[in-house]
Amino acid sequence: MDDRLRERFAGLWSRTIGPTGAEAAWRALDAGYGAAGRHYHGWGHVADLLAGHDAVRALPDFAGLDHDALALAIVFHDAVYDTGRADNEARSADLLAAHAGDAAAEAVRAAMAMIRATAAHEPGADPATRLMLDLDLAVLGAQPPVYAAYAAAIRREYGAVPEAAWRLGRAGVLGRFLARPRLYGTAHFRDRLETAARANLAAEAATLRGGPEP
């Protein structure tokens, strides 16, 4: 893990939570993101979202947001990731709450709400949450080779799932995304990524429907 990310986390924790607890929180995060089975939802994913956030946070569209709370949500949003469970987002939010304690209640509550929103990825009224969700889904609109690597990494994370069941389940997820009137909740991401994301999702769905690969 890049030491710069750890230093960045320490600064973020100090600003949002306080002067203590950063080391214990980091160890808990690393136990999750650093686990061997995190082929996509590891530290690289967190770093990508933070970099994406850095690239847009100064834009007028996102002025006035609590960017530290958003960064805190990014860092914790996939801290708990068990492919056999359906409550990972709630448990990730609870992990943040457990380590933050009573400190910086407003920032922690905002971050926890953003983390929980990643369960359904349904954009709501909160502008910071819409940005958080768009950052998390930005990979869907990546160049096809990047998207293919992402899809392959997700499959590896679900390696215990038999191929037929995987194809059925994954196709269902992709179909639900494609059925939405829009994938991105902010104009910035929608204008730049919506078309490419739909093409990527449709291409993967077609591959899944094609049956076992040779």
Side-chain angles (χ1 to χ4, degrees), residues 40 44-54 74 77 132 135-136:
Y40 176 74
H45 177 53
V46 174
D48 286 345
L49 265 63
L50 289 173
H53 182 206
D54 289 344
I74 288 172
H77 81 287
M132 168 69 192
L135 289 165
D136 199 26

Side-chain angles (χ1 to χ4, degrees), residues 68-156:
D68 274 347
L70 202 157
L72 197 62
I74 288 172
V75 172
F76 274 88
H77 81 287
D78 282 324
V80 178
Y81 188 77
D82 181 343
T83 58
R85 298 184 62 129
D87 60 349
N88 291 315
E89 296 82 7
R91 293 168 70 206
S92 295
D94 290 345
L95 182 68
L96 168 57
H99 282 275
D102 296 328
E106 184 175 349
V108 171
R109 283 197 299 269
M112 289 175 65
M114 288 184 241
I115 293 167
R116 290 194 175 106
T118 64
H121 268 282
E122 292 282 0
D126 177 57
T129 300
R130 289 199 298 270
L131 176 55
M132 168 69 192
L133 297 181
D134 282 2
L135 289 165
D136 199 26
L137 293 184
V139 67
L140 301 184
Q143 292 294 316
V146 176
Y147 180 89
Y150 146 77
I154 295 294
R155 178 63 181 109
R156 291 178 68 195

Side-chain angles (χ1 to χ4, degrees), residues 17-60:
I17 309 300
T20 61
E23 182 61 28
W26 177 265
R27 288 196 299 269
L29 289 169
D30 194 43
Y33 291 120
R38 297 294 192 102
H39 303 291
Y40 176 74
H41 292 94
W43 279 120
H45 177 53
V46 174
D48 286 345
L49 265 63
L50 289 173
H53 182 206
D54 289 344
V56 303
R57 63 189 298 162
L59 296 177

Side-chain angles (χ1 to χ4, degrees), residues 115-204:
I115 293 167
R116 290 194 175 106
T118 64
H121 268 282
E122 292 282 0
D126 177 57
T129 300
R130 289 199 298 270
L131 176 55
M132 168 69 192
L133 297 181
D134 282 2
L135 289 165
D136 199 26
L137 293 184
V139 67
L140 301 184
Q143 292 294 316
V146 176
Y147 180 89
Y150 146 77
I154 295 294
R155 178 63 181 109
R156 291 178 68 195
E157 289 184 338
Y158 283 83
V161 178
E163 184 66 14
W166 165 256
R167 287 176 178 266
L168 182 63
R170 179 68 174 172
V173 171
L174 301 181
R176 287 190 289 275
F177 272 116
L178 286 167
R180 295 182 178 187
R182 58 181 59 175
L183 296 170
Y184 296 100
T186 68
H188 176 86
F189 281 87
R190 191 161 56 248
D191 291 347
R192 290 160 176 78
L193 299 178
E194 184 84 17
T195 299
R198 289 188 177 277
N200 284 332
L201 292 171
E204 184 186 357

